Amino acid sequence: MKPLIGVTSSIKEDRLLITGLDYVMSMEWAGGTPVVLPNLADAAAMDHIANSIDGLLVTGGKDIDPTWFGEEPHVKLGEVSPQRDHFEMQMVQRMMKLDKPILGICRGCQILNVTSGGDLYQDIHSQNEGPLLQHYQVAPRYHVSHFIDVVEGSLLHQISGSQRYKVNSYHHQALRKVADGFEVTARASDGIIEAFESKNHKFVLGVQWHPENLLKKDDVYAQRLFQAFIEACRQSQDSASQNTQVSGL
Ligand code: MN
């Protein structure tokens, strides 16, 4: 059986559940069976989902409520979604406890960090000293606009097979303090964190860019990332850890 991948979703105008089709398609392309997850509040339902899926894709979206990391809203903070924040953070905790694979993309990367005790720049351009690159590109989504430098020997390096390549960029927030148990594994040339990963789990990786938009351009690094994620989910599915149940978080 193909591994079952939970794909998180956004709430639009308090009435629609939406997620990017590219997230869903990329999971299917790499050999997984994607299922889109609603932003439930019930703990038992979250336990059930975490015990059932083989991997979690935490997708991109709007901003994260800064009160989760002890700050009040900066004037440049965008739209937030408390219900979505809560669901994703709870799901990340459960998946990490089960040591099942998590891939966080953009906002999903930030959710991983905040859940684990790290924090964010609410707005990189007004909270950073010195000039930054354009991290909210004006180019099409499939265009790779800035370089990242990848840490040698990291999971991301093993996956990509490269220490320097270009990615797309659609973010005005970014990781600031990285959570304990994680390490930064890629940065842009201005120092902004572009990827980080857990030191204590088999596959818990966050990327600040949007690889799901690059598959249609046959971007080899996006292909390798999704293939590696689905392979990790397949191994998780096969392993004895599948029998471990989580409850009562
Ligand atoms: Mn960027």
Side-chain angles (χ1 to χ4, degrees), residues 135 146 168-169 171 194:
H135 285 281
H146 71 64
N168 55 2
S169 196
H171 58 110
E194 290 282 338

Side-chain angles (χ1 to χ4, degrees), residues 119-124 127-128 172-176 192:
D119 67 16
L120 307 177
Y121 292 110
Q122 293 187 47
D123 180 66
I124 51 175
Q127 294 183 308
N128 244 286
H172 84 109
Q173 300 201 311
L175 272 55
R176 185 171 55 189
I192 291 293

